[in-house]
Amino acid sequence: MPETDKERYERNFADLLQELRVAQTGVQILFAFLLTLPFSVGFEKVSQFQKDVYVVALLAAAGAAAMLIAPVAYHRMLFQRGRKPELVRSAHRMATGGLAFMLVAMVSAVLLITDFILERWVAWLLSGITAVWFLMLWGLFPLLRRDDRDGPDENPTVG
């Protein structure tokens, strides 16, 4: 029996919440690290460039946390009001925005740390590679697979 629209929205929202749990954990760990960094020994030695990168990373992590947690607050406000389709669409946009902020936060954190311990050109190179890697894994590869029509059991992996 095919699922109803209501069942599909319930399933979509449950799937989205599972995805958000993974992303929230990552951004919370990064945010906690960034919050403690200025209080650690050696932070006073960072350059103005590194302080600027730190602020970008911190604000991007805060933005990611806000957007990845927002669907929970949104759900609380719309709970049992029959607005699950709107909730799923909005939560999808919030999750996408949260991942974009998380990308900026992660790449900025890599730039901050690598610039502190390596030459600046190497830090920029490694940060660029990090950005490309994230964009490929989070954007390009999924987009390339969007039109694939393989069934789930058509080519199973063993091991």
Side-chain angles (χ1 to χ4, degrees):
M1 179 173 178
E3 69 183 346
T4 65
D5 284 346
K6 182 179 180 187
E7 290 169 334
R8 187 178 78 248
Y9 285 117
E10 291 289 338
R11 180 181 49 79
N12 286 344
F13 190 66
D15 289 349
L16 182 60
L17 287 179
Q18 289 297 332
E19 295 167 6
L20 289 174
R21 284 185 182 108
V22 173
Q24 285 172 350
T25 301
V27 78
Q28 287 169 342
I29 291 168
L30 177 60
F31 195 43
F33 163 73
L34 290 169
L35 287 173
T36 62
L37 197 56
F39 305 104
S40 60
V41 176
F43 192 78
E44 68 277 355
K45 296 178 186 173
V46 299
S47 68
Q48 185 58 50
F49 171 76
Q50 292 162 343
K51 288 178 185 175
D52 294 342
V53 172
Y54 169 79
V55 170
V56 169
L58 181 68
L59 294 176
M67 291 194 84
L68 294 172
I69 296 169
V72 176
Y74 204 90
H75 180 262
R76 284 293 94 211
M77 299 301 276
L78 297 180
F79 184 67
Q80 293 185 339
R81 294 186 185 253
R83 302 189 48 198
K84 192 69 76 166
E86 178 185 343
L87 175 61
V88 169
R89 284 189 297 275
S90 296
H92 166 72
R93 287 191 295 273
M94 290 177 218
T96 302
L99 289 173
F101 273 118
M102 194 167 174
L103 170 69
V104 172
M106 298 283 249
V107 172
S108 297
V110 168
L111 179 58
L112 173 64
I113 301 303
T114 55
D115 189 69
F116 188 76
I117 61 175
L118 301 170
E119 292 184 44
R120 181 148 304 154
W121 73 270
V122 176
W124 278 108
L125 176 65
L126 293 175
S127 299
I129 291 169
T130 301
V132 168
W133 183 243
F134 273 89
L135 288 169
M136 286 172 43
L137 290 173
W138 291 1
L140 181 63
F141 293 162
L143 283 175
L144 291 174
R145 296 297 309 240
R146 262 185 119 153
D147 291 331
D148 286 355
R149 301 289 184 223
D150 293 344
D153 296 326
E154 207 163 298
N155 192 7
T157 307
V158 179

